[in-house]
PDB file of all heavy atoms in Angstrom:
ATOM      1  N   SER A 172      -9.773   6.608  21.487  1.00  0.00           N
ATOM      2  CA  SER A 172     -10.697   5.808  20.685  1.00  0.00           C
ATOM      3  C   SER A 172     -11.868   5.257  21.480  1.00  0.00           C
ATOM      4  O   SER A 172     -12.878   4.875  20.909  1.00  0.00           O
ATOM      5  CB  SER A 172      -9.957   4.631  20.052  1.00  0.00           C
ATOM      6  OG  SER A 172      -9.515   3.722  21.047  1.00  0.00           O
ATOM      7  N   TRP A 174     -12.829   2.046  24.302  1.00  0.00           N
ATOM      8  CA  TRP A 174     -12.371   0.659  24.333  1.00  0.00           C
ATOM      9  C   TRP A 174     -13.240  -0.265  23.475  1.00  0.00           C
ATOM     10  O   TRP A 174     -14.453  -0.093  23.370  1.00  0.00           O
ATOM     11  CB  TRP A 174     -12.356   0.149  25.775  1.00  0.00           C
ATOM     12  CG  TRP A 174     -11.436   0.939  26.645  1.00  0.00           C
ATOM     13  CD1 TRP A 174     -10.065   0.946  26.620  1.00  0.00           C
ATOM     14  CD2 TRP A 174     -11.809   1.873  27.664  1.00  0.00           C
ATOM     15  NE1 TRP A 174      -9.570   1.804  27.563  1.00  0.00           N
ATOM     16  CE2 TRP A 174     -10.615   2.401  28.223  1.00  0.00           C
ATOM     17  CE3 TRP A 174     -13.042   2.315  28.165  1.00  0.00           C
ATOM     18  CZ2 TRP A 174     -10.610   3.330  29.248  1.00  0.00           C
ATOM     19  CZ3 TRP A 174     -13.032   3.261  29.194  1.00  0.00           C
ATOM     20  CH2 TRP A 174     -11.841   3.747  29.722  1.00  0.00           C
ATOM     21  N   ALA A 178     -15.986   0.631  19.113  1.00  0.00           N
ATOM     22  CA  ALA A 178     -15.609   2.008  19.422  1.00  0.00           C
ATOM     23  C   ALA A 178     -14.412   2.445  18.587  1.00  0.00           C
ATOM     24  O   ALA A 178     -14.380   3.566  18.048  1.00  0.00           O
ATOM     25  CB  ALA A 178     -15.295   2.148  20.909  1.00  0.00           C
ATOM     26  N   ILE A 252       9.516   2.996   9.377  1.00  0.00           N
ATOM     27  CA  ILE A 252       9.608   4.259  10.128  1.00  0.00           C
ATOM     28  C   ILE A 252       9.381   4.016  11.615  1.00  0.00           C
ATOM     29  O   ILE A 252      10.130   4.517  12.466  1.00  0.00           O
ATOM     30  CB  ILE A 252       8.585   5.274   9.581  1.00  0.00           C
ATOM     31  CG1 ILE A 252       8.971   5.701   8.161  1.00  0.00           C
ATOM     32  CG2 ILE A 252       8.477   6.498  10.495  1.00  0.00           C
ATOM     33  CD1 ILE A 252       7.922   6.538   7.454  1.00  0.00           C
ATOM     34  N   LYS A 255      12.349   2.289  13.440  1.00  0.00           N
ATOM     35  CA  LYS A 255      13.436   3.215  13.763  1.00  0.00           C
ATOM     36  C   LYS A 255      13.065   4.097  14.948  1.00  0.00           C
ATOM     37  O   LYS A 255      13.876   4.329  15.849  1.00  0.00           O
ATOM     38  CB  LYS A 255      13.759   4.083  12.538  1.00  0.00           C
ATOM     39  CG  LYS A 255      14.934   5.022  12.756  1.00  0.00           C
ATOM     40  CD  LYS A 255      15.299   5.762  11.483  1.00  0.00           C
ATOM     41  CE  LYS A 255      16.489   6.675  11.709  1.00  0.00           C
ATOM     42  NZ  LYS A 255      16.869   7.413  10.463  1.00  0.00           N
ATOM     43  N   SER A 292      -6.847  -9.193  18.316  1.00  0.00           N
ATOM     44  CA  SER A 292      -7.794  -8.278  18.959  1.00  0.00           C
ATOM     45  C   SER A 292      -9.132  -8.974  19.173  1.00  0.00           C
ATOM     46  O   SER A 292      -9.551  -9.803  18.363  1.00  0.00           O
ATOM     47  CB  SER A 292      -8.024  -7.040  18.081  1.00  0.00           C
ATOM     48  OG  SER A 292      -6.818  -6.414  17.731  1.00  0.00           O
ATOM     49  N   TYR A 330     -10.398   1.298   3.379  1.00  0.00           N
ATOM     50  CA  TYR A 330     -10.304   2.664   2.861  1.00  0.00           C
ATOM     51  C   TYR A 330      -8.920   2.984   2.301  1.00  0.00           C
ATOM     52  O   TYR A 330      -8.648   4.120   1.917  1.00  0.00           O
ATOM     53  CB  TYR A 330     -10.656   3.677   3.952  1.00  0.00           C
ATOM     54  CG  TYR A 330     -12.144   3.805   4.198  1.00  0.00           C
ATOM     55  CD1 TYR A 330     -12.775   3.051   5.183  1.00  0.00           C
ATOM     56  CD2 TYR A 330     -12.922   4.670   3.440  1.00  0.00           C
ATOM     57  CE1 TYR A 330     -14.136   3.156   5.411  1.00  0.00           C
ATOM     58  CE2 TYR A 330     -14.288   4.790   3.660  1.00  0.00           C
ATOM     59  CZ  TYR A 330     -14.888   4.032   4.642  1.00  0.00           C
ATOM     60  OH  TYR A 330     -16.242   4.149   4.858  1.00  0.00           O
TER      61      TYR A 330
END
Side-chain angles (χ1 to χ4, degrees):
S172 66
W174 299 289
I252 292 171
K255 183 175 181 180
S292 307
Y330 282 93

